Each structure stands twice: as structure tokens, then as C-alpha cells.
Amino acid sequence: MSIVLSVYAVTICGNLSNLLIFSKRKTLYSSMRNLYCLASVLDSSINFGSSSIADCEIILFAIGMAIIAACLSVFFYRDLFMLLLREAHFPPFIPNEWKTEYLSFALLCITASYCFSVLTGGLVYLTCKNIYKTIGDIFIQYSLKLKGRTQATPSSWTVEYLSDDISVFKNITLRVSEIEEAFGIHVLLLYATMICGFFNTVSVLIQNSDRLDSVANYAFIACTFCAAAIAFVQMSRYGSYIDSQVQGLKLQMIVCSDEFIRSSPSKSTMDVFNYLFEIVMKSQIEVTGNGMFVINYRLVLTIISTLITYSVLILQLDNKNSISYSEQAYNTNSTN
């Protein structure tokens, strides 16, 4: 049952994400375009995303999708087809001679829907990974801008320059909030899909059912687990990347405050700098799953502990069912 629920959950999350992408496509495009424009203004050399994921990761993603689709198809149509044909419940209006075609079409729909959901999750992962890398690069460029101000002449600390720094920082926080609002729900559904993949793997390995004992099924489980683990670690990595760059910006702001005080600024300049210092130090910039959890390396430990707890529960339930079946068989034999 847990395996079936995991597969259904992945399909539901993917289809829901598809609907949201279609309905909010203008918001998604607008938020990405605004972020790219801001990155280009700060530094024209900033690419939208990471150069390391260009063609290689897309090719690997396509290969992984093909393997998952092939393994799932082989498992359904070769290893499980005859069993489903004997034990599945068909609608009463389906004649006996049409049951084979009906089952083939149903399995085709299940396979296509599942693979389409995984495809959506993969595209969301690649997009968010690019976006998070770009956000981190933006904070690096803003920190370098402040660092260059400390190494310049005291005349660089003017109300005009500081006002420009304030405007840029507010623009950065605005673009990050736009990304959060547009992609937060998709990130949440992506993590739900990855967690369902982990749960499905644990369920198959612990329950050890004869019906699931096939090479195609184990290959399918291995591919989905590896894909979910890679996406999970990479998302946490770039979420932590943003956190580290924000903390680096705050440290750079402290260094700037020391240099600024040494320049003996006027009261008006001091007031503007204090305002910039306050908004930077009090900012809470982070990427989340629709506000429900923060994406960083700490989330990895949380999910691992949850999987361990789930594994223990499944193992205990499996042992309890085995003991119950053994006692029932013993009582039946004793009665006979």
C-alpha cells in the first residue's frame, strides 16, 4: 500500500505543478526576467545560472528519464502484466476479450502520467538550481561593490552613492521575494516528489515482496532514488550557497562601517549609511519551500532522520504482519 501511495503522490504532485505552471506562466517568466536584468546591471558577465550544468546535466537528465520510462514499462508489461490480468478488478462493462487491451491502455496511462510528472519535477529542479546560483552571484557582486567602496577615496562615501547602494539592495530583496512567491509552491511540490521517491525506495527494500522482485523494478527504484538524492543535495547546496553569500555580505557591511567612520562623514551621510547598514543587517534573505521550510544543508539531516524513522516503522509493521500470519497458519493447522 505504501508503494502505491508513493507512486500516486508523485503523479499528483507533478500534475499539480503542471497546472500551476500553466496558470502562472506569466508570473514565472516575469520573475526570471527581472532577476536576469538585475544580474546584468550589476555585472554583465553574470550568466543566468551555472555554466557547469549546461549541456551535460540536460543530457544526463534525458538519459535518466529514458531509463526510468523503460524500466517502468518492462516491469508493468513483462513482470506484472499477467498477475494484474488475473487479480485486477475490471469495470463490469468491459468484456472478457477486451480485458487485455484495457489493461494495456491503463498501464500506458499510468506510465505516461508518472513519467510526465517526473519530467516536470526535473525541469523545476534545473530552473530553480539556475535561479539560486544567480541569486548567490548577485550577492557576491553587491559585496564586491561595497568592498570597492572601502578601498576608494573618502569622496566615494556620499549621500548619492549610498542612496544608490540602498536602491540596489532593495531591488535585490524585491527580486528574491518575487522568485519566492513565484516558485515557492513548485519547490514545495518538488520536495514532496523527492521525498515520495525516498519513501518508495524504503518501502520496496524493506517489504521484500515477491511481486516486486524483478530486475526492472530494482533498476527503476535505483534510478528514481539516485535522481531524487542528486536533486535534493544540489538544491540544498545552492540554498546554502545563498545563505553563505548573504552572511558574507553582512560581514562586508561591518568592514565598510569601520572604514566609513574613519572617513569622518557628515551627519546627513552618516544617517544614510546607518539606514543602509540597518536594512542589510536585519535582512532575512533565504529560499524556502513556499515558506514551510528553509532550503539548506540542515534540511538534509531532517529528511534523513525522517527516513530512518519511517524505515523503522515499516520494518516493525512488516514483522508484526509476519507474526500475525504465522500465528494464523499455526492455529489453522492445529485445528485441522
Side-chain angles (χ1 to χ4, degrees):
M1 179 61 69
S2 58
I3 300 172
V4 175
L5 291 178
S6 298
V7 174
Y8 282 165
V10 170
T11 305
I12 291 173
C13 289
N15 290 331
L16 182 58
S17 185
N18 281 321
L19 292 175
L20 292 174
I21 289 174
F22 181 77
S23 61
K24 301 293 184 180
R25 59 190 182 278
K26 293 182 179 179
T27 303
L28 296 172
Y29 172 75
S30 177
S31 61
M32 290 189 294
R33 181 192 60 191
N34 293 338
L35 183 68
Y36 175 74
C37 292
L38 175 60
S40 300
V41 170
L42 289 176
D43 187 356
S44 59
S45 63
I46 295 181
N47 296 318
F48 188 70
S50 171
S51 59
S52 63
I53 69 167
D55 296 330
C56 180
E57 192 163 14
I58 295 177
I59 293 174
L60 291 176
F61 173 67
I63 293 174
M65 280 298 308
I67 294 175
I68 289 175
C71 292
L72 193 61
S73 300
V74 171
F75 176 65
F76 278 157
Y77 288 98
R78 189 193 68 181
D79 302 331
L80 207 63
F81 190 84
M82 297 307 298
L83 178 64
L84 292 175
L85 192 61
R86 292 193 305 267
E87 298 184 2
H89 296 282
F90 293 89
F93 58 86
I94 300 296
N96 291 330
E97 59 270 16
W98 287 4
K99 287 185 177 180
T100 301
E101 290 77 9
Y102 178 84
L103 180 60
S104 299
F105 180 74
L107 292 178
L108 177 63
C109 293
I110 294 174
T111 304
S113 180
Y114 181 86
C115 292
F116 191 57
S117 300
V118 175
L119 175 63
T120 301
L123 295 177
V124 170
Y125 155 70
L126 292 175
T127 303
C128 291
K129 181 180 177 182
N130 275 270
I131 289 174
Y132 293 168
K133 178 65 168 57
T134 303
I135 292 175
D137 292 341
I138 287 175
F139 281 108
I140 289 178
Q141 293 302 318
Y142 189 77
S143 298
L144 292 176
K145 181 180 180 181
L146 294 179
K147 183 178 180 180
R149 188 68 52 81
T150 61
Q151 297 173 351
T153 60
S155 60
S156 62
W157 298 106
T158 62
V159 174
E160 290 77 13
Y161 285 125
L162 291 174
S163 299
D164 179 67
D165 292 337
I166 293 172
S167 176
V168 172
F169 185 77
K170 287 185 174 181
N171 197 7
I172 292 174
T173 56
L174 176 61
R175 300 313 167 203
V176 174
S177 64
E178 286 181 350
I179 291 293
E180 271 289 288
E181 182 178 355
F183 284 89
I185 184 62
H186 299 286
V187 174
L188 177 62
L189 293 174
L190 173 62
Y191 269 83
T193 301
M194 292 187 291
I195 292 173
C196 288
F198 293 144
F199 285 171
N200 189 28
T201 302
V202 172
S203 300
V204 171
L205 295 179
I206 290 181
Q207 291 182 3
N208 195 23
S209 174
D210 294 335
R211 297 181 178 183
L212 303 176
D213 188 12
S214 68
V215 176
N217 181 50
Y218 287 128
F220 167 73
I221 293 299
C223 289
T224 54
F225 178 81
C226 291
I230 292 173
F232 185 71
V233 172
Q234 287 290 83
M235 289 286 288
S236 300
R237 173 192 171 191
Y238 283 102
S240 297
Y241 175 69
I242 294 176
D243 290 342
S244 63
Q245 300 310 322
V246 172
Q247 295 303 318
L249 172 61
K250 293 181 179 181
L251 292 176
Q252 185 61 49
M253 197 69 213
I254 295 175
V255 175
C256 289
S257 65
D258 296 336
E259 296 294 332
F260 177 75
I261 293 174
R262 293 194 186 99
S263 65
S264 301
S266 62
K267 184 180 183 304
S268 59
T269 307
M270 177 66 78
D271 292 339
V272 177
F273 181 84
N274 287 337
Y275 178 67
L276 173 62
F277 185 85
E278 182 180 2
I279 62 173
V280 171
M281 299 304 293
K282 290 185 177 181
S283 62
Q284 297 292 331
I285 299 175
E286 54 194 12
V287 288
T288 66
N290 205 34
M292 298 188 66
F293 52 84
V294 180
I295 300 174
N296 50 33
Y297 280 129
R298 290 187 294 272
L299 184 61
V300 176
L301 299 177
T302 302
I303 298 300
I304 291 176
S305 63
T306 303
L307 286 175
I308 293 174
T309 304
Y310 176 77
S311 302
V312 172
L313 291 176
I314 291 295
L315 187 60
Q316 289 178 345
L317 290 175
D318 189 57
N319 292 335
K320 183 178 179 180
N321 291 334
S322 299
I323 294 174
S324 178
Y325 292 148
S326 300
E327 291 178 350
Q328 184 178 0
Y330 176 78
N331 293 332
T332 302
N333 293 332
S334 300
T335 303
N336 294 334

